[in-house]
Amino acid sequence: MPAATARDELPRLDLLRSFAVAARTLSFTQAAHELALTQSAVSRQIQQMEEGLGVALFERRHRALALTPAGETMARAVHDCLERLRDATASVRASQRARQVAVTTTPGFASLWLIPRLARFSADHPQVDVLVSATNDLLNLERSQIDVAVRFCAIGAGQGAPLFEETVLPVCAPRLLQDAARPLRQPADLARHTLLVMEAHHGMPPMADWAPWLEVMGLSGLRGTNTLRFSNYNDAVAAALAGQGVAIGRLPLVAALLRDGQLVTPFGGSGQSQRGYFVAASPQAAANADAQDFIAWLHAEALLPW
């Protein structure tokens, strides 16, 4: 192997780093503090670098340092090289991180609307991991490191861009319609059945999820033979599928179950709940191209026929 030329003989990286800090601070003592070394160790490293270059890099004045012209030339070059090395290191590390989008939404929206559609997003974005946090808690997006939230809010009080407004109507398992002793031919017949109810949030009436539809039907005072209450909407839907009672169906969340015949609407008539789903993005999502793609995908999915 041929001998290295003088141009090939670069100072060691540890010497360059100590020189860069000393050149910036013009103090071996302060440089030693930043580098977690002793002052004598920094002084020796600078001396080694000067001996290797064959030129003085600092003027040692009384209680002060100053860069020589050669030192100024080296300081500019070392600063530029270290900055490029830092940028390259950050870029390489970032490229190795998993690409992901963290999403929070309600359990009902997650299980009934989002998760059945996620395969389509993954097919178009196979390198992106989607993390779904299904909870009724209103998470702080920045503190929880979440990119996107799909919130269920009253119309006019939504946080973020509207996704779709909710339509409501009663739904049940097909076999409930076969009970001759308790027919379900008109809305008033609900009084003979178990109503499946979402547990009301603080300050809301006990039948809050049923109230919009009952009001449209002129049956605000109607009560079933009894109620089963659930903290999550997907549990109320599961009870309806099991034939345990009649739930208030939220469209488009239960649209696929109606289309497949797993649930049926015993009678016509729907109403707007004056609530809907809104998409909010955290500040960190602005720098996450995958999060932006996910938000665009949500809106595109919302436009598809139920």
Side-chain angles (χ1 to χ4, degrees):
M1 184 175 181
T5 65
R7 182 176 176 83
D8 295 326
E9 296 172 355
L10 297 174
R12 300 195 317 264
L13 184 58
D14 60 329
L15 303 186
L16 291 173
R17 185 164 177 258
S18 294
F19 169 73
V21 178
R24 174 169 51 81
T25 61
L26 293 178
S27 167
F28 290 164
T29 301
Q30 190 171 339
H33 177 73
E34 288 191 26
L35 296 165
L37 298 172
T38 63
Q39 190 269 352
S40 59
V42 171
S43 181
R44 283 196 302 273
Q45 287 182 331
I46 299 302
Q47 187 175 2
Q48 288 177 39
M49 187 168 166
E50 289 176 324
E51 289 173 354
L53 293 170
V55 64
L57 299 173
F58 290 95
E59 293 180 10
R60 276 80 167 171
R61 299 173 180 172
H62 180 63
R63 294 187 179 181
L65 287 176
L67 286 166
T68 64
E72 291 178 352
T73 299
M74 285 299 296
R76 287 192 296 270
V78 170
H79 173 78
D80 291 344
C81 288
L82 290 178
E83 283 300 305
R84 290 177 64 185
L85 185 58
R86 289 189 188 98
D87 291 344
T89 300
S91 176
V92 169
R93 283 177 175 163
S95 68
Q96 298 306 309
R97 291 193 199 108
R99 292 169 55 186
Q100 66 179 37
V101 179
V103 185
T104 183
T105 189
T106 64
F109 184 89
S111 64
L112 296 170
W113 194 90
L114 178 60
I115 291 172
R117 291 167 167 78
L118 269 181
R120 293 202 282 265
F121 179 81
S122 296
D124 291 336
H125 304 81
Q127 304 303 317
V128 180
D129 295 337
V130 180
L131 284 65
V132 179
S133 176
T135 175
N136 288 319
D137 296 333
L138 202 63
L139 300 181
N140 181 288
L141 302 188
E142 289 187 80
R143 193 180 308 129
S144 302
Q145 296 187 321
I146 288 173
D147 299 296
V148 181
V150 181
R151 307 286 200 200
F152 182 55
C153 309
I155 301 299
Q159 301 175 2
L163 191 62
F164 46 69
E165 189 173 355
E166 177 185 73
T167 301
V168 292
L169 73 173
V171 297
C172 65
R175 67 174 175 270
L176 249 63
L177 301 184
Q178 300 168 5
D179 186 348
R182 297 182 303 160
L184 270 173
R185 299 192 185 97
Q186 55 187 356
D189 292 337
L190 288 168
R192 302 191 185 98
H193 288 264
T194 297
L195 300 187
L196 307 175
V197 178
M198 267 284 289
E199 190 67 37
H201 298 298
H202 178 70
M204 296 177 67
M207 296 276 289
D209 56 334
W210 277 87
W213 184 83
L214 290 173
E215 186 175 346
V216 168
M217 295 294 111
L219 296 169
S220 298
L222 184 140
R223 295 292 181 270
T225 55
N226 65 311
T227 60
L228 293 178
R229 299 183 181 278
F230 303 90
S231 58
N232 291 324
Y233 181 64
N234 45 315
D235 293 333
V237 171
L241 288 167
Q244 295 179 16
V246 185
I248 196 69
R250 296 176 174 176
L251 295 173
L253 300 196
V254 298
L257 297 173
L258 291 170
R259 185 172 57 248
D260 296 343
Q262 297 179 66
L263 291 175
V264 295
T265 56
F267 20 73
S270 62
Q272 301 300 120
S273 71
Q274 302 304 312
R275 293 174 294 190
Y277 291 86
F278 296 79
V279 181
S282 68
Q284 72 187 38
N288 184 344
D290 296 321
Q292 297 302 314
D293 286 345
F294 188 82
I295 292 170
W297 172 80
L298 283 173
H299 287 287
E301 286 289 319
L303 293 175
L304 295 177
W306 293 351

